[in-house]
Amino acid sequence: MNPFLKISPEVAQALQQNKPVVALESTIISHGMPYPKNVETALAVEQVVRDNGAIPATIAIINGKCCVGLSAEEIETFGKEKNVWKVSLRDMPYVISQNLYGATTVAATMRIASMAEIKIFVTGGIGGVHRGAENSLDISADLTEMGQTNVAVVSAGVKSILDIGLTLEYLETKGIPVVTIGQDAFPSFYSRQSGFETPLRLDTAKGIANMLQTKWALNLQGSVMIANPIAEKDEVPQAEIEQHILQALTAAGIAGVKGKEVTPFLLQYIAQHTNGESLEANIALIKQNAKLGAEIAMSMVA
Ligand code: PSU
Ligand code: MN
């Protein structure tokens, strides 16, 4: 085993016994939601995974180790502490060798999940191609990582803080299948619609598990993006969220926000300016993603 990997006893045992395991990220805890909702949500999401028959493995960097499976106390620390690094691939060697606390993004979580041989990873939204990327070149390492690492990602589609069309093009270039469950429209996180059709559609967890196994048996490297539309009752109307996104982008421009700070800034701005409505939608959709992820993980080992 890689000397930088530390797998909790529960997760290690589950993997050894070929039980379904679902990876979860930690940037969403430290940089994606305010305390204490972030901690409540992380623990609730783990419970949803359990209730649906799988073992949760929240991933983060602690004390120079890539930890797979956190305790409730560790999750509390990641939700509360102010000096937690947001760790994407390029930050991993620094944060690990400096023994810092690192919350892992989709890219870094995928890499660590893959080291532990976990195949299914659940999150809310992935990073992608930002609006204005033709000038800023701001394209998340989540996408390049999805092009090369064999861990499937369940999300609620692509958030419209990003350029959804360009993100779909980039995913196509990288050979990453994008499959939406249960509808023809590609979802945009807060909304079931995005204005784009989904490239692929499947209607069951079993069908998705089958497609994942087929992809990897063909030796096609990389992820599959599984888009799970938010439930109708939890949706925020697209026109409403778009207004807030435009204001957030303007505010980011005025404040001169750049690089890894862009995504957390936009998320925080939108949460603060929608009276928590977007936060409640975010919490609802990630729980729903956890259920689907557990179902797919169950089908993979069946
Ligand atoms: N989108 C969300 N919530 C999040 C993130 C993205 O709706 O919490 C986080 C994820 O951890 C994702 C990261 O991997 O932001 C992307 O950051 P960047 O754009 O800097 O690569
Ligand atoms: Mn970026």
Side-chain angles (χ1 to χ4, degrees), residues 281-302:
N282 199 340
I283 293 168
L285 67 83
I286 186 169
K287 286 185 190 165
Q288 200 185 280
N289 293 348
K291 178 169 186 288
L292 178 60
E295 288 166 358
I296 295 169
M298 294 276 280
S299 298
M300 296 276 288
V301 298

Side-chain angles (χ1 to χ4, degrees), residues 103-144:
T104 49
T105 62
V106 168
T109 305
M110 279 181 72
R111 184 63 65 98
I112 295 168
S114 148
M115 285 161 67
E117 294 183 42
I118 299 172
K119 294 284 174 209
I120 307 293
F121 164 35
V122 165
T123 187
I126 61 163
V129 181
H130 280 262
R131 297 191 191 192
E134 60 274 27
N135 294 314
S136 67
L137 264 184
D138 192 351
I139 300 171
S140 175
D142 292 355
L143 297 185
T144 49

Side-chain angles (χ1 to χ4, degrees), residues 85-95 105 107-108 111 141 258-261:
W85 271 66
K86 175 185 165 191
V87 178
S88 193
L89 292 181
R90 61 111 193 244
D91 311 293
M92 282 178 68
Y94 180 84
V95 170
T105 62
R111 184 63 65 98
K258 290 211 165 53
K260 68 188 278 192
E261 306 308 331

Side-chain angles (χ1 to χ4, degrees), residues 40-168:
E40 286 165 27
T41 303
L43 295 173
V45 165
E46 286 205 339
Q47 192 56 47
V48 172
V49 171
R50 288 184 198 285
D51 292 345
N52 287 278
I55 308 293
T58 301
I59 291 178
I61 293 167
I62 306 172
N63 252 328
K65 299 276 185 201
C66 299
C67 296
V68 178
L70 300 192
S71 66
E73 295 72 41
E74 286 167 331
I75 287 176
E76 175 79 18
T77 301
F78 274 87
K80 226 175 190 167
E81 285 291 318
K82 291 280 167 270
N83 58 348
V84 175
W85 271 66
K86 175 185 165 191
V87 178
S88 193
L89 292 181
R90 61 111 193 244
D91 311 293
M92 282 178 68
Y94 180 84
V95 170
I96 291 171
S97 63
Q98 292 287 314
N99 290 324
L100 303 170
Y101 275 109
T104 49
T105 62
V106 168
T109 305
M110 279 181 72
R111 184 63 65 98
I112 295 168
S114 148
M115 285 161 67
E117 294 183 42
I118 299 172
K119 294 284 174 209
I120 307 293
F121 164 35
V122 165
T123 187
I126 61 163
V129 181
H130 280 262
R131 297 191 191 192
E134 60 274 27
N135 294 314
S136 67
L137 264 184
D138 192 351
I139 300 171
S140 175
D142 292 355
L143 297 185
T144 49
E145 182 64 4
M146 288 178 80
Q148 60 181 4
T149 294
N150 300 357
V151 174
V153 182
V154 180
S155 75
V158 170
K159 194 174 266 180
S160 51
I161 56 172
L162 303 170
D163 188 316
I164 297 174
L166 292 186
T167 301
L168 287 170

